[in-house]
Amino acid sequence: MQNTPLAEGPSVQRCLRCARELDELDARPQCPYCSGLLELRHTLPKERGAALADRFRSSASASGVWRFGPLVLPNGADAAVSWPEGNTPLISRKAVAAWAGVSALRIKHEGMNPTGSFKDRGMTVGVTQAVRVGATAVACASTGNTSASMAAYAALAEIPALVLVPLGKVALGKLTQSLAYGARTLLVRGDFDDCLRLVRESAEELGAYLLNSINPYRIEGQKTIVFEMLEQLGWEAPDWIALPAGNLGNTAAFGKALREAMELGLITKVPRLLAVQSDGAAPFAMSFRESFRVRHTVRANTIATAINIGAPASYQRAVQSIRETNGVVTSVSDGNIMEAKAIIDAAGVGCEPASAASVAGVKQMVLAGTISPDESVVCVLTGHVLKDPEALDRYHRGTEPPPAHANRPIEIDASLSAVADVMRTLRPT
Ligand code: F0G
């Protein structure tokens, strides 16, 4: 772990490339001098270790983000735009652990957030900050979850929202959320990477506050996935934390959270991060294999639409996260993602396709001998099962021959004997 002390004094935004500092109320999305990504540095609480953990436990906040306010946005917590969010379950399911090949596997289900994904943790902070800087509109590019979350939180704050999503590449649950929550939604003829380029240009040109995860305030909120998980584990760090990786905001946030948790004496061991991409959208895994000598970009194509990203924006921050945690980046096939998802779904847990990459990645790493079956692992499930009903329908009803875990519905006549015929075939699971 890098051991630079965090800043003393009020919160500042610091450029990761040229180290220049901006005021915490500066609304520019990246370093105005060198275009580097910004990172927040707070005045941290005086308490350390158990005393700090006690303070979090006894917080009056109903939010799993704002409970950790002193590490997230110390000067903005009082006026938080909050649903509230977070406080998601950490669970164990034997069938999932057995499939992945690790006995001590736990699942942190971020799909249990108010809009059904982990994005709510970053968005409560991002929209709170939008209010603090007096934004008249907020904007984002998205594969669907960021936009669903931003639309909801912008509605809470009564700020107009502009969403740019790739036409035909966003799961139905997510696109319809954006419409329902009232965001002005643009279907861009292009991919996510085109949307991000366009929103970065237009936010600057049109004066909207940018809420993609290049926004450092989003990262602060997403750190709380790790804080909360560690708290649920009694501040005993697991050996590994596995997560799906797309635009790399979450990989960046997890690394920053672990750095701070170590520095504050909340944990004594750093878990290794396992960032998992899909084979069809794996630029970060390609760079990892070359020890990050080359920053790759690809034309992305995966069934896991949430992580269908070819030019991840938080690359620079995520490299730091992987290096500091002795982490690993890998990619798995769409087939393995859908198989992992079927196992997670059938265990009564459920998640969207991209989320299942974390579990598929763990299985692959166990088979490769990188993760030992007796190590402890937390897999983060990033989105809810209902986000992508089309993927479910295709898997269970629309694929010939049926995939291994397809659960075909059976059409019957309206008669007792027809029901009885089916009952006779039921087996205990
Ligand atoms: N899982 C889900 C369900 C996601 O929606 C995303 C990203 C990721 C994983 C990857 O996280 O980008 O921080 O590496 N979704 C973004 C969006 C890109 O627009 O909703 P990341």
Side-chain angles (χ1 to χ4, degrees):
M1 294 294 285
Q2 184 180 302
N3 213 9
T4 10
L6 296 164
E8 291 293 327
S11 299
V12 290
Q13 306 184 72
R14 186 180 206 199
C15 175
L16 282 173
R17 193 182 289 158
C18 73
R20 281 197 182 85
E21 291 188 349
L22 304 186
D23 187 271
E24 71 171 306
L25 294 178
D26 194 317
R28 287 174 288 188
Q30 57 201 73
C31 177
Y33 307 104
C34 76
S35 301
L37 295 176
L38 300 170
E39 179 178 86
L40 274 156
R41 310 205 128 215
H42 305 302
T43 307
L44 291 172
K46 299 263 179 300
E47 303 100 314
R48 291 290 179 270
L52 188 55
D54 273 353
R55 176 165 168 190
F56 296 145
R57 201 179 22 248
S58 58
S59 162
S61 175
S63 160
V65 172
W66 296 102
R67 260 183 328 115
F68 301 100
L71 308 188
V72 170
L73 193 65
N75 304 326
D78 291 345
V81 180
S82 174
W83 211 93
E85 49 291 306
N87 294 323
T88 59
L90 183 73
I91 57 173
S92 310
R93 287 293 179 274
K94 274 202 196 100
V96 179
W99 184 83
V102 184
S103 49
L105 181 140
R106 289 191 185 76
I107 292 168
K108 177 76 174 152
H109 207 325
E110 287 296 304
M112 299 302 166
N113 272 293
T115 77
S117 84
F118 72 97
K119 304 289 182 180
D120 295 339
R121 292 190 186 255
M123 209 50 79
T124 180
V125 184
V127 171
T128 297
Q129 185 63 12
V131 173
R132 290 180 84 207
V133 301
T136 50
V138 291
C140 74
S142 184
T143 56
N145 280 325
T146 297
S147 44
S149 182
M150 189 188 79
Y153 280 85
L156 290 185
E158 300 179 10
I159 302 177
L162 180 70
V163 156
L164 281 76
V165 292
L167 174 66
K169 297 187 176 104
V170 176
L172 189 63
K174 307 176 188 182
L175 180 61
T176 48
Q177 276 181 296
S178 170
L179 304 177
Y181 297 137
R184 187 55 58 92
T185 304
L186 306 181
L187 306 175
V188 179
R189 293 183 208 103
D191 59 17
F192 169 82
D193 302 300
D194 294 323
C195 292
L196 187 57
R197 184 178 36 77
L198 194 56
V199 81
R200 283 171 101 155
E201 286 167 13
S202 45
E204 193 171 0
E205 192 80 6
L206 307 173
Y209 186 66
L210 189 64
L211 277 175
N212 277 99
S213 58
I214 60 165
N215 182 318
Y217 292 87
R218 287 266 320 272
I219 302 293
E220 291 308 290
Q222 288 172 208
K223 287 186 322 194
T224 63
I225 302 171
V226 169
F227 295 147
E228 193 177 277
M229 156 203 314
L230 293 171
E231 184 184 56
Q232 286 165 318
L233 293 169
W235 300 100
E236 286 284 328
D239 296 312
W240 292 87
I241 299 175
L243 76 164
N247 213 22
L248 303 181
N250 233 11
T251 308
F254 282 30
K256 189 166 191 278
L258 291 171
R259 197 181 316 145
E260 293 174 2
M262 277 296 281
E263 201 164 316
L264 291 163
L266 290 164
I267 51 172
T268 52
K269 174 186 102 175
V270 184
R272 297 178 72 182
L273 289 182
L274 173 63
V276 188
Q277 302 202 288
S278 162
D279 289 343
F284 192 45
M286 285 165 73
S287 295
F288 172 78
R289 279 196 293 276
E290 296 167 15
S291 305
F292 298 123
R293 277 188 298 275
V294 185
R295 179 174 180 167
H296 286 282
T297 57
V298 300
R299 188 154 278 281
N301 183 19
T302 166
I303 197 168
T305 51
I307 52 173
N308 195 35
I309 294 172
S314 280
Y315 176 85
Q316 189 187 354
R317 297 166 172 153
V319 169
Q320 191 185 352
S321 295
I322 295 299
R323 286 201 170 125
E324 289 182 357
T325 63
N326 189 23
V328 172
V329 188
T330 193
S331 68
V332 292
S333 68
D334 279 0
N336 285 347
I337 288 176
M338 290 310 285
E339 189 179 336
K341 176 176 152 51
I343 301 292
I344 295 162
D345 290 354
V349 176
C351 67
E352 67 163 285
S355 306
S358 58
V359 175
V362 169
K363 180 176 175 124
Q364 189 192 70
M365 288 296 107
V366 171
L367 292 174
T370 307
I371 297 181
S372 146
D374 57 11
E375 286 187 295
S376 56
V377 181
V378 176
C379 286
V380 178
L381 299 184
T382 43
H384 196 276
V385 66
L386 290 176
K387 286 281 190 175
D388 196 343
E390 291 141 313
L392 284 168
D393 196 48
R394 225 172 19 245
Y395 185 86
H396 290 289
R397 298 204 306 173
T399 307
E400 279 302 340
H405 303 277
N407 181 18
R408 288 274 154 100
I410 304 159
E411 194 177 315
I412 59 160
D413 290 330
S415 76
L416 183 58
S417 66
V419 178
D421 286 347
V422 176
M423 288 293 288
R424 273 191 285 278
T425 68
L426 288 184
R427 304 253 181 286
T429 52

